[in-house]
Amino acid sequence: MENRRVLARAANTGISGFIDPAGRVLDPTPLMEAAAVVRELPLLDCRTLYTRFGDVFAAACLIIAVAAALWARVGRRQRNNFSLN
């Protein structure tokens, strides 16, 4: 879904089907039953935000979280030192 691509999934014993660019499952087959489904799939060439930047957002969130945790720890340590004086 992050890349807005169509997916055709085939499984021996699981659910087979198609997944549209929005992540919706189309024409799923039942579990453990032989079935055949045919569907035309579009070839998309658009580039999504995730395709362009990948996990930059996740890395930025991690850096911000670590910085906030360190800042909170330093602030707590300074408050404890101040209260002892």
Side-chain angles (χ1 to χ4, degrees):
M1 186 169 151
E2 292 88 2
N3 291 311
R4 294 280 182 205
R5 296 292 181 254
V6 178
L7 175 72
R9 182 178 192 278
N12 290 337
T13 58
I15 297 174
S16 297
F18 303 96
I19 302 173
D20 71 0
R24 294 181 297 254
V25 178
L26 310 171
D27 300 329
T29 61
L31 284 171
M32 306 298 286
E33 286 186 23
V37 180
V38 177
R39 186 179 192 91
E40 287 190 27
L41 301 175
L43 293 177
L44 306 173
D45 61 353
C46 63
R47 294 187 65 196
T48 64
L49 186 69
Y50 185 77
T51 303
R52 282 187 231 134
F53 299 107
D55 291 330
V56 171
F57 179 71
C61 289
L62 178 64
I63 290 168
I64 290 169
V66 169
L70 290 173
W71 185 55
R73 184 174 179 152
V74 167
R76 189 177 331 127
R77 188 175 292 165
Q78 287 177 352
R79 281 192 304 269
N80 287 344
N81 287 341
F82 182 72
S83 64
L84 293 176
N85 293 332

